[in-house]
Amino acid sequence: MAQQNDDTKNGMSRKDFVRNASLAAGGVFLSTFPAMGGQRNKSNEMLKIALIGCGGRGTGAANQALTADSGNQLVAMADAFRDRLDDCYETLSKRYGDTEQLNVPEDHKFTGFDAYKKAIQLADVVILATPPGFRPVHFEEAVNADKHVFMEKPLATDVPGIHKILEAGKLAEQKNLNVVVGLQRHYQNSYREVSKRVHGGEIGSIVGGQVYWNSDGVWVRPREDGQTEMEYQMRNWYYFNWLCGDHILEQHIHNIDVANWMIGEYPASAQGMGGREVRNGKEHGQIFDHHFVEFTYPSGAVIASQCRHQEGTMNRVSEFFQTTEGTIDTAGDRGIITSWDGETLYDHNADGDINPYQQEHNELFAAIRNGEVINDTERSAKSTLTAIMGRMATYSGDVISWEDAMNGSKKLVPDALSWDSEPPVTPDENGNYPVPVPGVTDVLT
């Protein structure tokens, strides 16, 4: 069975992903995934979409939004960089250039740190796909402007950002705005079917488990001549915590979120260890290359969480749980429930399942058309906080309680940024960035 991970999020198979390696450089080859999305039904009005963040994920999300409903039209685009916006537009033009679904005139293409404000005003639905450090302020702007939202995970890189997201999410609820978050396993049949059986009591209570995101790692964008420090960090954003939050947050959140979902709780505490053994050059900024965290839940369940970015090591992206009556095994389109006596109680058949990256957009636009409301904000924000809590534990070496994390005041993302700003983290005289040290680093204040 195929293993679900970020490789398929643009509607491409793993084979396609490997062949189209330029995705990692910002380009995207659009999928030939069939348009199984919702049709225009109750309303025939064109839904105008603004894309904020035109990298690989943003391009893929825009494609999926246009595929979801023939009445959707991309009308505005915004990114920090003009070349990335142009690459995205060119890619979308190959599929939609001859249709009315792509209608972004030159004066609707915006660049810079404040570009999002102009694009949001032109749309009914906003796609937020920039590096996650910007998500809170972008989401707040979209909700204040009464827009429906699709936003990528994670939802913030620091706790003040989490609080901003939660407040905006409550306002979105009051305004009956749809908010779908790119934790796509919630839109995947295999996970939905397993969850239904777990919460229906068919396999008892979860007492423990293991969740994994172990892989070779992701792209590195080298420093180029003439770049300011701000431009370099914005281009190589994955390696700076104020923008990315480390890979325990940026990618492993998927598996941590599944643990929260299946257990039906958020952790009471976390403790763990981590560091950087092989990915430790100047170009790797300040993040770790491995984390191992024990999350303890109020029910007493303990989840061992591990994520690693080291080439040549075991790859695994999956979740495995032990219950009072058996085991649960999930990964991609795999969903297997087995009793302790070895009987297979459920084995998901994924034939005909829709790609969850497409399904989340299908359901978003169907809800808008039908006058229904989806709001993923709170659970997604709390899974984001769970991953931040794990990072706090590995960076500090301390036991971090949920209350500690929720009350943390350490702010990573500045309130105002410009190309002339000094980034919140800068290199020393040798070009090295400060790396967290367990036992020394303060992660809360």
Side-chain angles (χ1 to χ4, degrees), residues 148-181:
H148 301 285
V149 173
F150 172 83
M151 57 181 168
E152 262 303 331
K153 55 71 200 169
L155 302 190
T157 58
D158 59 17
V159 175
I162 292 291
H163 289 296
K164 188 182 290 289
I165 287 282
L166 287 170
E167 290 173 10
K170 290 177 183 175
L171 183 58
E173 185 176 359
Q174 293 168 13
K175 292 184 172 185
N176 290 325
L177 297 174
N178 281 277
V179 182
V180 168
V181 175

Side-chain angles (χ1 to χ4, degrees), residues 372-424:
E372 300 167 348
V373 178
I374 302 170
N375 191 332
D376 294 339
T377 307
E378 182 176 355
R379 65 169 167 75
S380 303
K382 290 184 176 178
S383 283
T384 299
L385 180 65
T386 307
I388 290 174
M389 185 174 161
R391 185 189 72 202
M392 289 174 168
T394 62
Y395 279 9
S396 69
D398 288 335
V399 177
I400 305 294
S401 72
W402 181 264
E403 289 74 21
D404 289 339
M406 187 62 93
N407 293 327
S409 61
K410 195 174 189 67
K411 187 175 177 64
L412 302 183
V413 186
D415 289 328
L417 288 165
S418 74
W419 291 118
D420 297 325
S421 304
E422 182 176 89

Side-chain angles (χ1 to χ4, degrees), residues 76-93:
M77 302 171 70
D79 197 281
F81 299 107
R82 179 67 198 216
D83 61 304
R84 204 157 53 189
L85 187 154
D86 287 341
D87 287 346
C88 174
Y89 184 81
E90 182 179 353
T91 301
L92 293 172
S93 295

